[in-house]
Amino acid sequence: MIQTWELELPPVLAAIRPAAVQFREWAAHYANEGAAADCELALVEACNNLLNHNANIRAAILIQAQATPFDLTITIRDTTPGFDWPAQPTLPDSSAERGRGIYLMHTLMTQVEYTRNSSHNELRLRRAL
């Protein structure tokens, strides 16, 4: 059986933490603690990156999640210009203050896919259970 969760995230950094808490509470019903925590952290990193790198974003960000007995999948959709997703994310130099988000998402999740088209961008984060 597929369980779903959805949220329209206002495009402000202060909205990310409450959204992550809501997601974690939902995910706790369908995944073990470690998987739910990994998904929450990946979600927070994705939303932080989106808002920190798109200063003029005005439209809400759509977050959808699905849980099956086999995996948790989070889809984040926005209408920003998007960017070129790195083929092989790497860690920045240890002295760098930024640049770990995409690498962290790839480390925590089983599968990460980013697509862009003329109307929106979509980041899909899947974690096998």
Side-chain angles (χ1 to χ4, degrees):
M1 178 178 228
I2 297 175
Q3 303 295 325
T4 61
W5 178 83
E6 188 172 300
L7 177 75
E8 285 194 14
L9 182 73
V12 293
L13 288 170
I16 296 172
R17 188 77 231 139
V21 169
Q22 287 178 28
F23 169 80
R24 178 79 176 267
E25 290 172 354
W26 173 82
H29 295 287
Y30 309 106
N32 63 47
E33 187 175 330
D38 288 351
C39 289
E40 177 188 14
L41 182 52
L43 172 64
V44 168
E45 286 295 329
C47 292
N48 278 331
N49 283 352
L50 178 57
L51 292 175
N52 282 324
H53 295 286
N54 290 284
N56 297 323
I57 187 171
R58 299 289 177 252
I61 300 155
L62 179 61
I63 304 171
Q64 298 172 312
Q66 288 188 337
T68 73
F70 310 104
D71 59 18
L72 271 175
T73 302
I74 303 165
T75 303
I76 302 164
R77 183 180 286 185
D78 70 84
T79 56
T80 68
F83 70 105
D84 293 328
W85 191 269
Q88 289 294 327
T90 57
L91 276 173
D93 182 79
S94 61
S95 64
E97 293 185 23
R98 301 174 64 120
R100 292 173 182 79
I102 293 174
Y103 179 84
L104 187 58
M105 284 181 253
H106 276 272
T107 301
L108 295 170
M109 305 306 286
T110 306
Q111 183 178 22
V112 177
E113 297 176 336
Y114 177 73
T115 56
R116 295 186 335 185
N117 66 38
S118 61
S119 65
H120 68 272
N121 309 298
E122 193 169 281
L123 176 62
R124 186 176 304 261
L125 306 165
R126 186 180 75 77
R127 172 66 154 74
L129 302 177

